[in-house]
Amino acid sequence: MLTKTNNKLEKIEITSTFWKKYRELIVKEVLPYQWEVMNDSADISITHEPGGNDAHQEHSHAIQNLEIAAGLKKGKHNGYTFQDTDVYKWLEAAAYSLKYHPDNELRKITDSLIDLIADAQEEDGYLVTYFQIEAPDRKFARLKQSHELYTMGHYIEAAVAYYEVTQNHKALDIATRMADCMAINFGYGDQQIPGYDGHPEIELALARLYELTQNHKYLELAEFYINERGQDNFFDRQISEDGFTRDLIDGMRNFPLTYYQAAEPIREQETAEGHAVRVVYLCTGMAYVARLTGDRSLLESCQRLWKNIVEQKMYITGGIGSTNIGESFTGNYDLPNDTMYGETCASVGMAFFAKEMLNLEAKGEYADVLEKQLFNGIISGISLDGTHFFYVNPLQADKETSKNNPSRNHVLNQRAEWFGCACCPSNVARLIASVDKYIYTIKDDVILSHQFISNKAKFSNGIEVCQESNYPWEGTISYTINNTSTLDKLIGIRIPKWSQKNGKLIINGETKELILEDGFVYLSISQGITNIQLVLDMAVKKYQANENVSYDFGKVAVQRGPIVYCVEKIDQDLDVWKYTLTNDNEYQFTFDPQLLGGLVTIQANAKFPEEQENKSLYREYSAPTFIKTKIKLIPYYAWANRESENMEVWINQE
């Protein structure tokens, strides 16, 4: 069951230079830009969805769809069946930003948006504009493709966030009416639907709504959707009744049930299969419900799927989804770098999953993956100017190949202004705006400090924490902890896996031995001030992949602290794949305040083959003569912010 504790995080202020820059970017650039795009007032080019679906429109129409559903305008619905979710995720990001950056003008916009959404909602609580405008007779009739519960789930998440920040009751009323509509329509009764959405999301949304309202109906409905998934041929029955050829999204009918995590009951699934975002959204909901209900079998399923993803199907940057066909997982160790997908939404979803697993179990491995996503997989999805976005996040990119090879044209060398399927831009915005929720976890009244993002935090048990550092560029993390109560309190500090060999902990000036328990060092904090210094190993390290990953054999990836690095052609004389790192492991790293918003670059010794006179396509092998040189590496998240150039993460190793 949900752990009952009197301790909670009462207040937190992000002071990290690195993350304050991103959070201010959300306020000053991202939210205004995305609002203009959704209102069709931005002069932009919309890129078709990089997975290969050529259908796209010239504008977003997301707000216009709501206006038509509300009766304020006339017209047809434009965009995908889930176009409303662009608005809802934007609203959630705006809610979080209002907490750390109050803005009266933005508050007027968001309150007016709530009014519009309320006007668009039907009397019974239903709200998905596509079906209201184009197909009112097909509501809940083709859930394999419709994204109806997915869409309303995203509003519910936004409403919970907006209510918590603004106390806007109308926003919450819309959400509870949606959930009540689902409770009426889904279940085992004669007039109810014994099924679930093809795209998981509603499960985690209902769990969040339950935590806020304490209405058990919503938690029971989340359990229902989880338990029903994969039980029978529900999707096929619906399609037969709705009409076999009446697809809502072209191409989706032929995906196997594994794509939807519906081939078998979730507790019987051994590996992560299908659409990567759907998998991690479902896992997040499962972990949430497992914590709230004490369902051990759900926890074991989460553990099993986590292990498969992290140990056999995740890229070193945290990216997941190995193929553009269905944006999906493939087999174990199948991790191609130049045709991969690594959707930004999947990294966001993996951060959700990690956060919920930390709420279940105090294990540093979950926080390690969360850190990997925050500093690599997620922020690579947004440009440094906040107005360009990656849907696909490759680890190897060649602009000529992407242009000329249809099997690689989903890999872009420049971020797009917007997408026809624009799930990623607002998703990365809501994650960055809420990053303060990912720094601490409270378990059984123990405060776990697992993300090194400078902050000032106050907890209800009398603990006040001031965490200071220049992370991720420097590895000294200073804590000033004030215990204002008379009782000793327990704090756990994560030691990242990449630093466990050489980390150092200094308490009130005295160096202490690192005694780890599942990746955490636990400290008893007595009344008064305790000063702690955690010194992490920030040496440059090379990583090799498991030998079963054929694409990376003989190659290494370079990492310093939590940051994965890459080589980009703009910084080199030759194409990136021609370089080989030498064995001397000598590196120079320098903070460059003028480059790409300020970051640490790495110089490494390398070599490249002397050019051959024979220019034939193939020739008899002769040992090449190598010329020594140096290469420059930049953080992976910062690539493609200058010119459109080639890039790779995995580099040949001598």
Side-chain angles (χ1 to χ4, degrees), residues 45 104 139 194 268 270 292 314 463 490 568 595 651:
S45 173
N104 290 334
K139 295 173 185 174
E268 297 175 18
E270 295 293 329
L292 295 170
M314 187 175 74
I463 291 290
L490 202 59
E568 196 173 14
L595 180 64
I651 309 168

Side-chain angles (χ1 to χ4, degrees), residues 396-416:
Q396 180 179 333
D398 182 298
K399 61 183 180 181
E400 288 301 314
T401 301
S402 292
K403 182 173 71 173
N404 295 309
N405 187 333
S407 68
R408 286 167 169 75
N409 63 16
H410 60 286
V411 175
L412 305 180
N413 285 66
Q414 287 184 311
R415 292 172 180 82

Side-chain angles (χ1 to χ4, degrees), residues 222-294:
E223 285 186 276
F224 167 82
Y225 288 133
I226 290 170
N227 292 334
E228 275 302 293
R229 186 168 291 275
Q231 292 291 346
D232 62 8
N233 61 346
F234 163 70
F235 286 152
D236 291 341
R237 288 202 314 274
Q238 274 208 321
I239 288 174
S240 176
E241 294 169 4
D242 185 51
F244 186 73
T245 60
R246 301 177 73 199
D247 287 327
L248 293 167
I249 300 177
D250 290 342
M252 287 197 68
R253 188 200 319 144
N254 296 324
F255 283 129
L257 288 176
T258 51
Y259 174 84
Y260 305 92
Q261 302 76 53
E264 56 189 347
I266 192 62
R267 291 168 179 80
E268 297 175 18
Q269 294 182 23
E270 295 293 329
T271 56
E273 305 292 342
H275 186 266
V277 176
R278 297 173 199 238
V279 171
V280 291
Y281 277 13
L282 177 60
C283 288
T284 303
M286 290 162 54
Y288 226 132
V289 170
R291 175 171 60 88
L292 295 170
T293 64

Side-chain angles (χ1 to χ4, degrees), residues 148-175:
E148 288 164 275
L149 306 185
Y150 167 85
T151 298
M152 288 192 278
H154 271 303
Y155 176 77
I156 289 171
E157 285 202 88
V160 169
Y162 198 69
Y163 177 79
E164 288 177 338
V165 173
T166 68
Q167 296 297 295
N168 184 305
H169 286 276
K170 181 182 283 190
L172 185 58
D173 288 344
I174 296 167

Side-chain angles (χ1 to χ4, degrees), residues 430-448:
R430 67 171 176 153
L431 192 287
I432 292 172
S434 62
V435 76
D436 54 294
K437 295 178 176 292
Y438 293 80
I439 300 173
Y440 298 100
T441 298
I442 299 172
K443 285 288 297 173
D444 302 325
D445 213 35
V446 179
I447 298 169
L448 300 177

Side-chain angles (χ1 to χ4, degrees), residues 30-41:
V30 178
L31 291 174
Y33 174 79
Q34 293 188 2
W35 182 246
E36 285 189 8
V37 171
M38 293 186 300
N39 278 278
D40 304 331
S41 59

